Amino acid sequence: MLVIPAIDLKDGQAVRLFKGDYQQKTVYSDHPEELAQTFEEAGAKFLHVVDLDGAKDGQAKNLETIKKIRKQTSMKIELGGGIRDLKTVQLYLEEVGIDRVILGTAALEDPEFLKTALKRYGSEKIVVGVDVKNGFVSTAGWLETSQTPYLEFIQFLEKIGVQYIVATDISKDGTLMGPNFDMYDQIAKTSSIQFVVSGGIKDFDNIKKVAEKGYYACIVGKAYYEKKVDLKETIQCLQNV
């Protein structure tokens, strides 16, 4: 199982939001690229980066900071937030050197764009973020909620060739309350898609449970920043489980 540390960017800083609320943020670093180095030194193979400003506004707002992170680490990077057209996909994958991009709002609202991106870049580089609020898919940096049930959306994604998703229960994100394992069990029962558990991880036992269930990966964010998880120790124990 992959243990993937997360860096959420807002105004060039590494922050964490509480349940996706832009008004409830905690700043953890003014130099996110240095955080990335720390994660790599701990043994992480993949880094999860989200442009929160981009997610809200649909533009590459933290591009310069993302470039710095890319230059400072040899980890593979998955990046989400505001990627809503092929020009931005091309920018990140071909020019910046991001390993895979996460499409969220655009994947739901413009499925033809998603299909085109998949055809051009392949399912290893095009990941979909499935952000769930009260059972429905959320968009626009979690500020809007659609009428699409998350399981229905995931089944559609699998049908068109998506192999990887990042699934987040927004009500758990940044809370240190533990993931919504009921939601992930439902995904596993109804789909063979590979998913990243995102939101709510509070301690090593949570991460171990994800590994024991045989899920593809989990994201560790606030639990690391609040020193609830020793990333190096966790990766040594679970990275290859």
Side-chain angles (χ1 to χ4, degrees), residues 20-38:
D21 186 347
Y22 283 72
Q23 302 305 312
Q24 297 189 65
K25 74 169 184 177
T26 304
V27 177
Y28 287 103
S29 177
D30 291 325
H31 300 283
E33 69 277 8
E34 294 176 4
L35 266 180
Q37 286 180 306
T38 301

Side-chain angles (χ1 to χ4, degrees), residues 217-228:
C218 75
I219 289 171
V220 179
K222 193 170 184 177
Y224 167 81
Y225 294 110
E226 296 291 333
K227 303 188 187 319
K228 308 289 186 185

